Amino acid sequence: MPLEKEIEKLVRTLALKNALDHDGKAQLDAVLSKFLGSRPDKRAEIKSLIPDIKSAVQAVNAMAPADQKALLEEIAPGELEAKKQVESGPRLPALEGAVMGRVVTRFPPEPNGYPHIGHAKAAIIDEEYARMYGGKLILRFDDTNPLKEKLEYYDAIAAGLQWLGVKPDIVKNTSDDMAKIQELGKKLVQNGGAYVCTCSQEKIRDLRSKGLPCECRRDRSTALDRIGNMFSGSYGPNDAIIRFKGDMADQNTAMRDPALFRIIEGEHPKLGSRERVWPTYDFAAPVEDSLDGVTHAMRTKEYELRNALYFAILDRLGMRKPAMIEFSRLEFEGVPVSKRKIRPLIDDGTIQSWDDPRLPTLSAFRRRGFVPEAIRKFVLSLGITLAETKPPFESLEAFNRKIIDPVSVRLFFVRDPVEVHIEGAREMEVTLKNHPTDASLGSRKVRVSDRVLVAGEDAANVKPGDEVRLIELYNIKVRDVEREDGKVKSIRAEMGGDEIRQSMPKIQWIAKNDILDFKVMIPKELYVGDEYNTKSLEMASGCAESFVSTLKPDTKVQFVRFGFCRIDGNNTAILTHR
Ligand code: ATP
Ligand code: MG
């Protein structure tokens, strides 16, 4: 019987799309499952449709890829374009004033901690724009505070970016340019654009809040001596700072003579103890951006008030000014994305390492089973708006799921196992598919006797008389549920029929002679409101199929009805997401 017109078109479209995804060869299984996905009403008659669907797939597979493309464009215009969009992901809007081949962006992390998803957002946007205009991306370690920076963090940031697939064209440190930066600072003092202030911190704070200048601001005669004292060591760390000569009464408090240099004595990871007069971020950022040839400087919105200072400094030094673009800080509900919030938990031992799966660091995302492409697509989907809305964490999960779902091997894990005795079941060998639609992911053989384990939660939901499907095995009919202290201890059952009914619970199981003791870490929200969530890490204990022991750490799997996980060790995995 020939297919109805509408059905025929759907089947051909699905076959063509599937073929174009798989080197020109569509797979019947995949087409069938997609078909039933869009036409669940045809489930009952699928058996009678299969021969025609099969020949439609064969016809598509006989075509050359170019012809497949042309036919898809003809019968389902728009599908190819939509497919391209999904593959290439969302794009950023055009950059104002950008000239092809001339754009230079920079990502300037301070090496004072591990990179997190917020840094990923900044770095990816910087990189995307550089690529979009055939320009350059600079990775510049913003390392001008020897008390906070460590070599470990430079390495962690470089490793995080590499994992993300962000490839800077130039890698440098702000500290490489110390001599130039200090020269420019001195120049600014000499030309009256800045001054050395020897007032106490309290006095500075007080006058700043009152909007009043101090005497140091007026006294230019001693400027050179004072600078000399800062560099020579005659002044101690809190004796003097270089301040920008702004306006102490400015509405914008960032312009009330902010510090441009301070004295810090400490071992710098790159320069040792050679330097003692260090620029602040407010001075180093504009000067470095200008010297580095940055055309478009991007940073998060909380620096907004400091933009005036950024440009005033460059004005006074007569230096070229980059364009400044702001975007919103990335935060998630319950997961603060800031070193300021993460570091205390590490320092006080609440969290052992920077790759703890509850953290929003890149190493944690990696360990948890997220793939870098998902992070990039997610970041680009946010765009560069200034809206302060926190995206739901689920949206990042959705991008990841879409990428790992087609390649994750399906396996069984049962949490809090309960034994089921299937009376009269004979020992048999079953072949389980590693993936429901992709046969290339292979299969595995399991020997099953009359005893299997099921998850405690599933066991708690059955009662005598129920019929339950053991996925890819057979149905069982529950005869007796033995409880102890209200908990199910064991179940007795008999083999049921083989017919799968929609209403029947379908549960995963493990053959009793095929057990691997196994634990899955389940990361939860790190914070509840402003409080650390003491229940943020849950451990699910149970059994996995022994096959799991053959998987290398880092393999991504899906434990059926449990969630996507990344194998973390011999007997442990981490839940990536459901
Ligand atoms: P933290 O609060 O984690 O210390 P930071 O801004 O001090 O953040 P830096 O290492 O100085 O961290 O940041 C480097 C770049 O990354 C800056 O341009 C900053 O704007 C950007 N960035 C940092 N956190 C986020 C975030 N949550 N969302 C988007 N961009 C961020
Ligand atoms: Mg910082």
Side-chain angles (χ1 to χ4, degrees), residues 106-112 116-119 121-123 126 142 157 281 298-303 327-331 337-340:
R106 90 299 187 249
F107 171 59
E110 180 174 6
N112 64 350
H116 51 58
I117 186 97
H119 292 120
K121 174 176 177 180
D126 286 322
D142 188 21
I157 291 167
Y281 169 82
M298 286 169 246
R299 59 185 182 184
T300 40
K301 203 182 147 203
E302 77 269 19
Y303 293 106
F327 51 81
S328 61
R329 252 185 114 75
L330 175 58
E331 296 275 343
V337 181
S338 169
K339 285 172 279 187
R340 275 182 293 277

Side-chain angles (χ1 to χ4, degrees), residues 127-145:
E127 181 182 51
E128 285 285 327
Y129 275 129
R131 299 295 163 254
M132 200 159 144
Y133 291 98
K136 282 202 180 98
L137 168 69
I138 302 172
L139 164 59
R140 187 176 72 223
F141 290 102
D142 188 21
D143 55 347
T144 60
N145 187 345

Side-chain angles (χ1 to χ4, degrees), residues 147-323:
L147 300 179
K148 291 200 179 154
E149 292 138 16
K150 284 196 196 148
L151 273 187
E152 177 192 354
Y153 302 140
Y154 291 77
D155 294 344
I157 291 167
L161 292 183
Q162 192 182 15
W163 175 70
L164 268 185
V166 169
K167 299 187 191 73
D169 300 286
I170 296 166
V171 180
K172 60 169 292 191
N173 309 311
T174 298
S175 64
D176 299 343
D177 296 331
M178 272 297 273
K180 275 187 234 166
I181 297 170
Q182 288 170 342
E183 254 345 283
L184 288 163
K186 288 179 191 163
K187 183 172 152 193
L188 203 57
V189 175
Q190 275 155 13
N191 72 21
Y195 59 97
V196 179
C197 178
T198 55
C199 298
S200 69
Q201 282 178 20
E202 299 79 65
K203 185 171 173 190
I204 293 176
R205 207 174 304 129
D206 181 50
L207 290 177
R208 204 171 254 153
S209 71
K210 292 183 176 135
L212 298 172
C214 63
E215 308 82 65
C216 307
R217 184 182 156 115
R218 262 172 264 129
D219 183 8
R220 285 189 69 175
S221 60
T222 57
L224 281 184
D225 292 343
R226 287 180 164 199
I227 286 188
N229 289 342
M230 283 182 82
F231 281 87
S232 70
S234 307
Y235 282 149
N238 292 316
D239 293 345
I241 55 174
I242 295 180
R243 296 176 71 180
F244 183 76
K245 196 177 277 183
D247 175 356
M248 286 303 284
D250 201 311
Q251 284 294 317
N252 178 356
T253 51
M255 293 303 285
R256 295 187 184 179
D257 294 15
L260 302 182
F261 285 86
R262 68 271 197 237
I263 299 169
I264 303 173
E265 285 173 350
E267 235 353 72
H268 185 272
K270 300 280 176 186
L271 301 186
S273 50
R274 195 183 86 191
E275 302 291 343
R276 65 194 311 273
V277 182
W278 293 92
T280 58
Y281 169 82
D282 281 331
F283 189 72
V287 163
E288 282 286 274
D289 285 349
S290 190
L291 292 173
D292 288 342
V294 172
T295 58
H296 294 78
M298 286 169 246
R299 59 185 182 184
T300 40
K301 203 182 147 203
E302 77 269 19
Y303 293 106
E304 209 172 9
L305 289 178
R306 284 145 91 176
N307 286 351
L309 177 61
Y310 180 101
F311 292 118
I313 289 170
L314 294 179
D315 260 337
R316 264 187 215 171
L317 288 168
M319 293 173 75
R320 186 192 58 88
K321 285 182 268 183

